[in-house]
Amino acid sequence: MMHAYDKLYLSKAQNTLASMLDFAVYDLKEDIEIFYSKFLRSKISQRFGEGESSIIAGKSGVELALEVIGDYSKAKEYRPVANRSKEYWAGWALAYFQWWSGLSFKKIDSFISISEIVSLYSPYHEMDITQFCDIMAKKGGFCMAES
């Protein structure tokens, strides 16, 4: 299977997307659906999905969230420790699935919403990430191949 970008960037990409969603929901008080829709419409989504290193490794999740909403003045509200919330997990798992599948975030959103991904937190946060990929692939109508 062709992955979206080199696996060397994967862990950083997962933490970045996870932190972006967590920060948007808990610090910026953004509704996750509204914020994620803004993310999908932004160029950041495409650049992230293509593995652009300046996005997935060169910026923090906080920076990406602020760029998505276009308001850097809210940076003062940043709390340095991630909440490890359901939203954080959703971003972490979504980044992995996007990398694994090579699908764009918009394509993934066409078969599962960000709220539905958050709702998979229990029980999938306790499982191996491949279990999450398997359910995502089924929702997308394709089978998960060995990677």
Side-chain angles (χ1 to χ4, degrees), residues 115-134:
S115 293
E116 289 174 291
I117 294 170
V118 171
S119 76
L120 294 174
Y121 176 80
S122 187
Y124 289 94
H125 79 284
E126 296 288 341
M127 297 180 185
D128 185 85
I129 191 67
T130 58
Q131 298 290 329
F132 173 77
C133 288
D134 189 39

Side-chain angles (χ1 to χ4, degrees), residues 1-130:
M1 166 158 298
M2 181 73 165
H3 298 298
Y5 45 86
D6 193 290
K7 191 173 185 175
L8 292 172
Y9 290 107
L10 180 56
S11 180
K12 173 65 172 122
Q14 287 178 274
N15 289 322
T16 299
L17 195 66
S19 295
M20 179 189 78
L21 291 178
D22 183 83
F23 181 75
V25 170
Y26 293 98
D27 291 271
L28 300 177
K29 308 297 184 216
E30 292 274 327
D31 174 88
I32 193 163
E33 286 290 340
I34 294 169
F35 176 80
Y36 192 69
S37 180
K38 290 176 190 176
F39 171 70
L40 292 176
R41 289 190 312 269
S42 74
K43 291 181 181 180
I44 296 166
S45 156
Q46 181 181 354
R47 292 169 61 198
F48 192 111
E50 293 171 351
E52 186 178 313
S53 62
S54 67
I55 297 295
I56 62 173
K59 292 186 183 245
S60 70
V62 170
E63 290 171 311
L64 289 184
L66 294 171
E67 196 167 321
V68 166
I69 65 164
D71 187 353
Y72 292 93
S73 69
K74 296 188 177 213
K76 65 181 184 274
E77 299 172 26
Y78 171 61
R79 62 187 156 77
V81 178
N83 191 7
R84 305 295 184 192
S85 62
K86 290 179 183 181
E87 292 81 4
Y88 183 94
W89 172 85
W92 180 88
L94 177 59
Y96 186 93
F97 178 73
Q98 189 279 324
W99 166 82
W100 172 83
S101 68
L103 299 173
S104 71
F105 290 105
K106 286 183 182 181
K107 179 65 177 174
I108 296 167
D109 189 63
S110 74
F111 61 84
I112 187 167
S113 72
I114 190 65
S115 293
E116 289 174 291
I117 294 170
V118 171
S119 76
L120 294 174
Y121 176 80
S122 187
Y124 289 94
H125 79 284
E126 296 288 341
M127 297 180 185
D128 185 85
I129 191 67
T130 58

